[in-house]
């Protein structure tokens, strides 16, 4: 039963990390628009829709790379926050490079925008830390066998029928 509970915690951690990563991506990409003094107040419904799309975008593209990182950390009992931050940064990098066209003739990515690369990598790092806070601190804990039970204390000598 502990494996099922662990899978549920991993799923909740992944969802929370994707939500935070989506918030960072949406906020960072819209920041130039927010900083314009001529812009009026932003409709809250619009922000909610953008955050929802950011969550869907991040969770959809990050599922497979994040699953690989989670499988590695669970199998090797890696519980370091730094490992999850680096893993999250790699997942963010993989998500961004998955969207950029690759030229197989020159073996180079075409059209990398440095700011977008930094946003995705930074969002991945923060998402990795959020995942570590929820699920990563106990990675591999489901494989640890429970402590053996102590035998019951002996009965008093006068309680045995003879």
């Amino acid at each position: 039963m502990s494996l099922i509970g662990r899978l549920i915690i991993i799923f909740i951690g992944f969802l929370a990390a994707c939500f935070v990563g989506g918030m960072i991506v949406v906020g960072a990409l819209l920041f130039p628009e927010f900083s314009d003094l001529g812009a009026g107040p932003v409709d809250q419904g619009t922000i909610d829709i953008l955050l929802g799309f950011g969550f869907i975008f991040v969770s959809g593209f990050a599922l497979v790379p994040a699953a690989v990182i989670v499988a590695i950390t669970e199998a090797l009992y890696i519980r370091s926050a730094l490992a999850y931050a680096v893993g999250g940064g790699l997942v963010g990098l993989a998500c961004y490079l998955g969207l950029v066209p690759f030229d197989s003739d020159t073996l180079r990515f075409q059209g990398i925008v440095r700011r977008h690369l930094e946003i995705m990598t930074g969002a991945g790092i923060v998402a990795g830390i959020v995942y570590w806070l929820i699920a990563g601190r106990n990675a591999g804990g489901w494989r640890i066998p429970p402590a053996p039970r102590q035998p019951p204390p002996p009965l008093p000598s006068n309680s045995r029928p003879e």
Side-chain angles (χ1 to χ4, degrees):
M1 186 65 166
S2 64
L3 178 60
I4 294 171
R6 184 71 191 150
L7 290 174
I8 291 170
I9 291 173
I10 288 171
F11 181 69
I12 291 170
F14 175 73
L15 289 180
C18 287
F19 184 70
V20 170
M23 285 183 1
I24 291 172
V25 168
V26 168
L29 291 177
L30 292 180
F31 180 73
E33 300 299 324
F34 288 148
S35 63
D36 185 17
L37 294 177
V42 180
D43 183 30
Q44 185 63 37
T46 304
I47 295 296
D48 293 342
I49 291 172
L50 288 175
L51 288 178
F53 279 121
F55 169 72
I56 292 169
F57 169 77
V58 170
S59 63
F61 282 102
L63 180 62
V64 173
V68 170
I69 298 293
V70 167
I72 290 170
T73 56
E74 287 288 328
L76 300 177
Y77 300 97
I78 298 174
R79 297 180 178 179
S80 168
L82 180 62
Y84 285 94
V86 170
L90 290 175
V91 169
L93 178 67
C95 289
Y96 179 72
L97 292 179
L99 296 172
V100 176
F102 182 74
D103 185 14
S104 59
D105 293 336
T106 62
L107 298 178
R108 294 185 62 181
F109 288 97
Q110 301 296 325
I112 291 179
V113 178
R114 183 175 173 181
R115 181 173 185 271
H116 296 165
L117 178 68
E118 292 168 353
I119 289 170
M120 288 296 290
T121 305
I125 291 170
V126 174
I129 295 297
V130 168
Y131 178 82
W132 174 79
L133 286 171
I134 296 172
R137 295 181 293 163
N138 300 320
W142 58 275
R143 298 173 79 182
I144 299 172
R149 292 186 177 187
Q150 297 288 337
L155 294 172
S157 60
N158 59 0
S159 64
R160 294 185 181 172
E162 294 188 43

